[in-house]
Amino acid sequence: MSSYSKLIIFIVVLVLISAALVFIESSTDSINKSMPEISDGIVQGDADYNEAVELVNNKNFYESMEKAESAGDNYNKSLLELHEIQKNFSADVNKVHQEYITTTIRELELKLEAVDSLKEAIECFEVYSNYTGSNYGFEANDYMNQAVEYQHQRDSIVSDNPNLFKQNFIM
């Protein structure tokens, strides 16, 4: 085999190894990089949802619908990112991280159900169908209460495993 062939093989192997290292970024690193943005989306979604509920209670239906839609957009964005992370799990993701992602996904799915029910309630209240609107409102509340249980479970996972999660402290 000529030295030219050996050089080509060496370069190809080097390129493949480099590509593999870049392509196979640690799933844990991916989780750590994505979580601040995902968390921000959840926090903003919660704030928008709570504001939407307050606006509904004040009979400001147009603005409440805008806030409900914004909450849904924030939740959906975070959920899509979590599904992407979950889809790309590799062997380095331990059971705790997997449980955390799965729990957060379920939390967001329930929060999206709550948003959908809240939007139905708003539409009913706008046309003075208060009984039906109230039923949708109760349904939204039930979904959100279930979601909060998953949120508490997610918080427990983090507090029980501080060495597995990066903690950001605000001083």
Side-chain angles (χ1 to χ4, degrees):
M1 184 183 291
S2 73
S3 61
Y4 179 73
S5 297
K6 289 179 185 178
L7 180 61
I8 295 296
I9 291 172
F10 175 75
I11 290 173
V12 167
V13 169
L14 188 60
V15 167
L16 289 174
I17 291 172
S18 297
L21 290 175
V22 170
F23 182 72
I24 304 177
E25 176 183 342
S26 163
S27 292
T28 304
D29 289 342
S30 176
I31 291 169
N32 287 334
K33 287 179 187 175
S34 299
M35 284 319 295
E37 186 176 343
I38 291 168
S39 179
D40 289 346
I42 295 170
V43 168
Q44 186 58 52
D46 289 346
D48 289 340
Y49 182 87
N50 290 334
E51 192 170 341
V53 170
E54 187 175 315
L55 289 164
V56 167
N57 290 335
N58 292 327
K59 299 186 185 333
N60 188 340
F61 303 126
Y62 178 78
E63 287 184 40
S64 67
M65 183 62 82
E66 286 183 336
K67 286 295 180 179
E69 288 173 356
S70 179
D73 291 345
N74 281 300
Y75 292 148
N76 267 319
K77 182 179 176 193
S78 293
L79 183 61
L80 289 172
E81 289 182 43
L82 285 167
H83 278 303
E84 190 64 30
I85 289 170
Q86 191 179 44
K87 184 175 80 175
N88 294 318
F89 274 168
S90 63
D92 71 318
V93 177
N94 64 40
K95 296 289 185 201
V96 174
H97 283 119
Q98 290 176 13
E99 181 183 1
Y100 180 86
I101 296 298
T102 302
T103 300
T104 308
I105 286 172
R106 187 65 187 129
E107 172 191 343
L108 286 169
E109 289 170 342
L110 287 164
K111 286 182 176 184
L112 284 166
E113 292 288 342
V115 167
D116 288 344
S117 293
L118 179 61
K119 287 166 42 175
E120 290 289 338
I122 293 166
E123 289 174 355
C124 290
F125 290 137
E126 285 179 318
V127 296
Y128 304 104
S129 182
N130 294 338
Y131 178 79
T132 305
S134 292
N135 285 338
Y136 280 117
F138 290 130
E139 186 176 270
N141 193 46
D142 287 343
Y143 282 127
M144 193 54 76
N145 286 335
Q146 291 175 50
V148 168
E149 289 177 26
Y150 280 96
Q151 183 176 339
H152 292 313
Q153 185 178 349
R154 175 172 54 94
D155 292 342
S156 292
I157 292 169
V158 172
S159 64
D160 292 346
N161 301 282
N163 56 324
L164 295 177
F165 295 93
K166 291 185 178 181
Q167 301 292 320
N168 295 322
F169 296 100
I170 299 174
M171 301 210 178

